[in-house]
Each structure stands twice: as C-alpha cells, then as structure tokens.
Amino acid sequence: MPRASGPLAEALARRALLLDGGLSNQLAAQGCDLSGDLWSGRVLAERPDQVAAAHTAYARAGAEVLITASYQVGYEAFAAHGHDRAATTALLHRSVHLAARAAEAADHEVWVAASVGPYGAVLADGSEYRGRYGLSVRELAAFHRPRIEALLAAGPDVLAVETVPDSDEAEALLTVLAETGAPAWLSYTVADGRTRAGQPLREAFALAAASPEVIAVGVNCCDPVDVLPALEAAAGETAKPLVAYPNDGSVWDAGTRTWHTPETPVPWPTRAWSTTGARLIGGCCRIGPTRIADLARAVRGS
C-alpha cells in the first residue's frame, strides 16, 4: 500500500496519530554499538540494516509516523570523522529512504518524518538539554540550512524539528523553514515550565504559532510530568495540533553517557494530553516498541 494517502496535516485534522519511540534505545536493544560522538549516526553509516530493522519494529508496534535516523547527522561532526560533504549528504538521504521502505512495507498507513535535531545534538556533550550555545540566530540558521535542504531532497512527508532547547534556535529553524516552505512540526525539550534554556514557554510556542510551515507544535524528550503544562501553554498560543513524545522520565548524564532512571515509572495521562489538543503522541528516549504498542491502544481509544 502507499505509505501515506495524503499530507500529514490533513490526517491530523481528522484524528490523533501514533509516533514511534526512541531510535537509539531500539538500536541498542538490537545489539548495536552506539559509543562515540556520532551515536545513532554511526549505525546509520555502518549498519543501515539495523536502522531499517528498528523502523520496522516500530511500524509493527503500530506507529503511524516513523522518525528518521538523521537527528545527530551534521556536516561538521561527520567531517571530523572523515566523511566529506557528499558522503554526509548521502547519509541524510539514506535516513529518509530507510524509513520510507519500512513505511511502505507496513500493513497500515505510515508517514515519514525527517528528524532535524538541534545544534547541541551534534556536539555530543548534552548541550541539547541546555541550549544557549553562544551562536547567533543567523549562525544557527546557517548550520541547519544544508541539513534541511538535504533531507527535503530525499522526499520525506514532513520534517520533525525536534528536541529544540532554546527559542533562539527555534527562530533560526523557522527562518529556514520559511525559505523552503516545507511542512514541519516543532517540538521543544522543556523542564519546569520553561525551555531548557530557561525561556517562557508561551513565548517559545508563539514563535511556532506564527509560522505557516509548522503544522503541529509541542514537546519531546522531556519528563512526562512536564508534558501537560507545556501543552496547555502551547494551546494558549495556537490552535494548531499539538505534539507530545516524552522520554521515560530519566535524566541524561553527558559526562558518563548514561541515563539516571526514576525509581518508579512516571504516569502518562494521555487522555489529558489528547483533550488539550495533542494529535501526535509517541515516545522518545528509552521508549521502545512494546511501550508504543501499549500506547497505540490509548491513542486510538482517545
């Protein structure tokens, strides 16, 4: 069957859709080596079959949107590991093609979202959870522009502009989106009612609300307890569909490259998220196919 019958924005106007889960944790579960600065990008380069298998696992779990393995693929970071621009562009294209093949093989309709990670992701030092990189909006736009152009050339259904910690970076990304006209969702990573960089959420969401390219806005890779307040803040600024795909409540320690897991599971009030306007719901880091299969019932029931 065709991987999607129409634009994602049209589907979101009709119903809620299920996102996939964390790619890196699924790759680790499949036995992949994610050590080093390139993280899942290394697996994309060296073991594309494993990336394809991870996408397939999420599609079989019921995911209706697959997010590509391009989150940490950046020209500068890959150049430091011997990849020239043509090779890195080819990897960005590969990330879309692998997800598309898994989508086309699924027994249900599946959209492909090309992941555009924040500048901090390619630094591999946890700075996507801090923001404030010391770069101007113009410099950040220059960083993101070639990655976005390469991903769009591969033909995804939508861009997943995700884990954005800083409204300044959001402004840069929205500038590039305006140049391309490509549909995208924009999701911030947040904590305690603010962006990770400390900016008020309503101001951050207002930026996305004013962008015609943004078809949905929300949060990802945050503690589940931070989701509902953030969605409420977003709903106060825009009538666009909302996005929610948190992690499991763990905290990333960049120094040791490990997650600190909460002692007890954090509840996911998905019905409240849906009531607030969430139409794209899934999981981020440490959320695997089994959890996505469970979430499928909750999303479709809502």
Side-chain angles (χ1 to χ4, degrees):
M1 66 181 298
R3 75 188 194 206
S5 60
L8 183 64
E10 292 180 5
L12 292 177
R14 298 191 299 268
R15 62 183 179 90
L17 295 175
L18 181 68
L19 294 171
D20 59 9
L23 183 64
S24 61
N25 49 265
Q26 179 58 21
L27 291 173
Q30 293 171 191
C32 298
D33 182 3
L34 275 74
S35 62
D37 294 346
L38 299 182
W39 204 285
S40 58
R42 173 183 172 188
V43 183
L44 176 66
E46 298 176 358
R47 295 294 309 275
D49 59 312
Q50 291 295 322
V51 175
H55 288 317
T56 298
Y58 281 118
R60 288 175 177 167
E64 297 167 286
V65 182
L66 298 177
I67 302 175
T68 66
S70 50
Y71 176 81
Q72 285 164 310
V73 180
Y75 287 97
E76 296 82 357
F78 272 69
H81 289 266
H83 296 260
D84 62 19
R85 289 189 71 83
T88 302
T89 296
L91 286 177
L92 290 166
H93 291 178
R94 174 187 287 178
S95 72
V96 175
H97 297 156
L98 290 172
R101 286 179 207 153
E104 290 159 2
D107 62 1
H108 57 279
E109 195 169 25
V110 179
W111 285 262
V112 172
S115 175
V116 180
Y119 176 77
V122 303
L123 300 180
D125 62 358
S127 59
E128 66 261 52
Y129 299 118
R130 299 190 300 270
R132 294 304 191 196
Y133 314 117
L135 299 179
S136 68
V137 170
R138 183 175 180 178
E139 289 170 324
L140 288 167
F143 167 79
H144 285 294
R145 186 173 290 109
R147 302 167 69 219
I148 288 174
E149 290 173 346
L151 288 168
L152 289 175
D157 298 300
V158 66
L159 297 175
V161 179
E162 56 182 353
T163 326
V164 179
D166 192 320
S167 58
D168 287 349
E169 184 164 24
E171 182 180 348
L173 285 157
L174 293 170
T175 297
V176 179
L177 291 179
E179 295 168 359
T180 67
W185 79 68
L186 187 146
S187 56
Y188 290 96
T189 178
V190 301
D192 302 319
R194 304 179 80 83
T195 68
R196 295 281 188 164
Q199 297 127 337
L201 285 184
R202 293 195 65 154
E203 294 178 11
F205 289 128
L207 289 173
S211 169
E213 289 75 31
V214 173
I215 64 168
V217 64
V219 294
N220 78 289
C221 209
C222 60
D223 193 307
V225 302
D226 286 316
V227 171
L228 185 56
L231 294 180
E232 291 171 341
E237 297 297 327
T238 181
K240 293 181 180 184
L242 304 184
V243 183
Y245 52 118
N247 56 41
D248 67 346
S250 297
V251 176
W252 176 248
D253 184 330
T256 61
R257 298 178 66 85
T258 57
W259 288 97
H260 297 293
T261 306
E263 293 183 5
T264 57
V266 180
W268 287 34
T270 52
R271 184 173 295 275
W273 299 352
S274 296
T275 301
T276 307
R279 292 294 176 269
L280 281 169
I281 300 176
C284 202
C285 298
R286 301 175 63 81
I287 303 299
T290 299
R291 187 72 179 273
I292 293 301
D294 292 340
L295 190 60
R297 291 184 281 274
V299 170
R300 287 163 190 159
S302 65

